[in-house]
Amino acid sequence: MEKRKSGGGRGRNNGGIEENTMAILDTSGFNRHSHHRLDDRLVFLEAVRSASLLPDNGTPPTSTMWQAIFQILKEETSLELIMGSYQLLNELDKRYPRLCLPKMEKSESCLPPTISNEPVVVEEAWCPFTLGLDRDDETNKGSSASIDSLGFHSLIQELGKMVNQKSKALETEFLRKMLLLHYLVSVLEADFVPRNYAFKEKMRWTLLRDSLLNMLLGSRKIIYKGLVKDCLSVICDVFSDLSDQLESTSDLDSVAPPSKETSCINTSAFALALPELRRSTCICLKKLLIMMMELDTSRDVADVQGLTTRADGVRTPAAEIILDELAYNSDMLSPFFQVLDDPRWKLKMIMPYFQKYIPKSSVRTRRSNSPGNDSTFEGVLKCFSNSSSTKNIIKKIGADVAQLLLGHAFLAYLSVSVESSAEHVDDPEEIVKGSSLSEICKHIIAAFTSIRKEDKNTEILSFGKEAVFTAATILSTKS
């Protein structure tokens, strides 16, 4: 991993602002709700913006200034300061990234561009996380200018407790904690995504070993399984709470994230924005879980190639933890798979769920012993063509759950198939390999028919009807 120093000379331009930063951080002489304190911090945020963002030759803030802005987001109760600090932090991260994306070499041929070097870490860049120090460190203990792994986990737990609380007094605090989580996840994402992309190209495990996400998840301060479960729980609780208030939508990404251009909002605007903030919180935690699962996948690749060591430790993959939790509480299935809109990961989660309940034959014939008998989507669908197998599956998981999973899996399969065809992928996902769209559509219709036949008291859900209608429409166009 290459490193480079951040732009020199920034102290000359920001020296005057930094002199007042310690006064901003020190609140011992001010009442928490003092107008002078509010005005001083608003002036400070505007001064940083003017010095670092407005001019073309602006310089990045010093670490002390970054810490002051982050502390404002963590502690303030004023909507102006919460939104102002959140907006400024995001804009500064875009202007002065901690991890620079690799440059791309232009190819004279028709081949895609290749990476010329690895992601570059900006040396001494400020980071909101304090990771890699599991021992009690007096220099970091009680610091409000950063957050450690335990603080990150506690933030998610606090959001979970506040989801169903309707107190108006807690709305501002809820907003602040949501925006704080959004910012921290965006920092993890900006660090992890380029590292993971470079790992797939270079096969250097150290790129991911040193990532903020890997260090956070490997901390001994938190219980990893508890973190995954809490993320899943908050996603489902927030989404279910929204469904009770508004019409549910499965296309969460069509909802715009909280505006970063609004520095001052009134009470009525806040009330209107809160549901959208909750939606974006679902999306935020979904991104976090997907990053965890992507890290597990890359870790498995590195382990197979002998790139990991005993120092990397062993932990249960996030996908397995999520599947166990969904199997234990089926009420989470619908909200989770509505939020999880990545078609490949949706298939990777639904397939193992079904395989837990598909009856295994005691006699393995040559045909049934062939690879991928029930490891592909088509293989799972064929299990519903058998009356006895269908009856056993719906007895264990219920007809409604079976319909829900089949509907989501079918729509995800369609998306993966279209993407693979458009990208001319020679080696498609294993779970969709060797199956034709026409056959899948026939199997989907047969599966829902079989479920209805085996459980006559069950009505086909509206989501299931959409899947059957889509399959029938595709077949009609191909006939």
Side-chain angles (χ1 to χ4, degrees):
M1 179 68 68
E2 297 184 23
K3 294 185 179 181
R4 66 173 173 84
K5 292 185 178 180
S6 52
R10 65 183 180 183
R12 293 196 305 269
N13 297 333
N14 289 332
I17 306 175
E18 187 172 11
E19 289 178 1
N20 297 321
T21 301
M22 296 310 297
I24 297 295
L25 292 170
D26 182 15
T27 61
S28 58
F30 294 94
N31 181 280
R32 184 169 182 80
H33 302 289
S34 168
H35 292 296
H36 296 293
R37 182 171 176 272
L38 172 63
D39 292 341
D40 286 346
R41 295 197 166 195
L42 287 173
V43 169
F44 167 70
L45 294 179
E46 188 57 38
V48 175
R49 178 185 300 279
S50 299
S52 299
L53 294 176
L54 296 184
D56 293 335
N57 61 343
T59 54
T62 63
S63 294
T64 305
M65 293 160 63
W66 279 100
Q67 291 170 9
I69 303 168
F70 186 67
Q71 182 173 335
I72 290 173
L73 177 60
K74 282 186 65 180
E75 297 180 348
E76 277 298 336
T77 58
S78 162
L79 290 177
E80 292 178 270
L81 287 175
I82 293 171
M83 297 301 296
S85 58
Y86 173 73
Q87 172 190 357
L88 183 56
L89 284 170
N90 279 282
E91 291 179 352
L92 288 171
D93 282 354
K94 289 181 179 179
R95 182 76 173 267
Y96 309 106
R98 300 173 187 86
L99 188 72
C100 298
L101 293 173
K103 295 180 180 179
M104 309 299 285
E105 291 181 347
K106 293 183 179 180
S107 175
E108 296 179 357
S109 65
C110 59
L111 296 175
T114 57
I115 297 178
S116 61
N117 53 17
E118 296 174 3
V120 179
V121 177
V122 179
E123 191 176 358
E124 297 179 354
W126 176 82
C127 178
F129 289 99
T130 302
L131 303 172
L133 296 172
D134 285 331
R135 63 184 183 279
D136 289 333
D137 191 336
E138 293 300 330
T139 61
N140 293 315
K141 199 171 185 180
S143 172
S144 59
S146 60
I147 190 166
D148 61 7
S149 53
L150 180 60
F152 182 76
H153 190 183
S154 297
L155 174 63
I156 295 174
Q157 291 176 323
E158 290 166 6
L159 280 171
K161 294 176 182 178
M162 298 174 70
V163 168
N164 297 317
Q165 297 182 23
K166 309 299 182 182
S167 172
K168 292 289 183 182
L170 292 175
E171 285 186 349
T172 304
E173 184 181 358
F174 191 39
L175 167 69
R176 177 173 56 80
K177 290 183 183 296
M178 283 193 292
L179 293 182
L180 177 59
L181 178 64
H182 293 179
Y183 175 66
L184 292 174
V185 171
S186 72
V187 171
L188 293 173
E189 184 180 24
D191 178 77
F192 174 76
V193 172
R195 287 176 184 268
N196 196 39
Y197 183 81
F199 166 76
K200 294 176 181 178
E201 295 288 330
K202 303 287 186 178
M203 283 296 144
R204 282 190 55 193
W205 169 242
T206 53
L207 293 170
L208 287 177
R209 178 188 290 156
D210 297 336
S211 67
L212 293 175
L213 181 64
N214 188 58
M215 289 190 288
L216 183 144
L217 300 180
S219 172
R220 288 173 295 183
K221 290 183 178 181
I222 62 171
I223 300 175
Y224 175 65
K225 287 186 178 181
L227 175 62
V228 176
K229 290 180 180 180
D230 286 334
C231 289
L232 178 62
S233 177
V234 174
I235 287 175
C236 296
D237 288 346
V238 171
F239 189 87
S240 298
D241 186 57
L242 279 169
S243 300
D244 293 339
Q245 301 177 36
L246 304 169
E247 287 186 5
S248 175
T249 174
S250 60
D251 187 12
L252 285 177
D253 281 334
S254 64
V255 178
S259 173
K260 298 177 183 178
E261 300 179 358
T262 304
S263 60
C264 181
I265 52 177
N266 56 34
T267 305
S268 59
F270 175 56
L272 292 173
L274 190 58
E276 303 308 319
L277 284 168
R278 290 180 178 229
R279 288 179 183 273
S280 60
T281 299
C282 287
I283 297 172
C284 173
L285 288 172
K286 173 205 69 177
K287 288 181 179 180
L288 179 60
L289 287 180
I290 288 180
M291 284 193 289
M292 290 181 186
M293 294 188 289
E294 291 283 0
L295 177 60
D296 290 335
T297 300
S298 295
R299 183 190 176 104
D300 289 342
V301 172
D303 189 53
V304 169
Q305 297 194 8
L307 303 176
T308 57
T309 66
R310 295 177 65 180
D312 290 309
V314 178
R315 60 173 176 253
T316 306
E320 290 187 18
I321 299 172
I322 295 172
L323 281 173
D324 288 343
E325 197 69 6
L326 294 177
Y328 176 76
N329 186 355
S330 60
D331 290 339
M332 290 183 170
L333 284 167
S334 180
F336 176 71
F337 283 115
Q338 289 189 67
V339 174
L340 184 66
D341 55 358
D342 184 295
R344 283 180 168 80
W345 273 114
K346 187 172 284 191
L347 276 175
K348 288 179 182 178
M349 299 297 289
I350 293 176
M351 295 294 293
Y353 192 99
F354 269 129
Q355 288 165 3
K356 283 176 177 258
Y357 303 103
I358 292 177
K360 300 295 188 294
S361 174
S362 58
V363 179
R364 304 293 291 181
T365 64
R366 181 173 298 178
R367 174 176 294 183
S368 65
N369 203 34
S370 59
N373 185 48
D374 58 3
S375 62
T376 65
F377 183 43
E378 185 175 19
V380 169
L381 290 177
K382 286 181 178 179
C383 293
F384 284 90
S385 63
N386 181 294
S387 175
S388 176
S389 178
T390 301
K391 186 179 296 184
N392 286 332
I393 293 173
I394 61 177
K395 181 179 180 181
K396 293 176 180 177
I397 66 176
D400 288 350
V401 170
Q403 290 185 57
L404 177 72
L405 295 178
L406 285 173
H408 278 291
F410 176 58
L411 296 180
Y413 170 86
L414 293 178
S415 297
V416 172
S417 299
V418 170
E419 289 177 9
S420 299
S421 299
E423 297 170 2
H424 305 288
V425 177
D426 295 328
D427 187 21
E429 294 284 344
E430 183 67 30
I431 48 182
V432 302
K433 190 180 294 184
S435 57
S436 69
L437 180 57
S438 296
E439 288 300 314
I440 291 294
C441 291
K442 292 177 182 177
H443 288 314
I444 275 289
I445 295 173
F448 277 94
T449 303
S450 182
I451 291 174
R452 183 70 181 85
K453 179 180 179 181
E454 296 303 324
D455 189 349
K456 294 181 173 54
N457 295 324
T458 297
E459 293 293 332
I460 301 297
L461 303 176
S462 58
F463 189 66
K465 291 178 181 178
E466 291 179 17
V468 172
F469 177 78
T470 302
T473 302
I474 293 173
L475 287 175
S476 66
T477 59
K478 290 183 175 292
S479 59

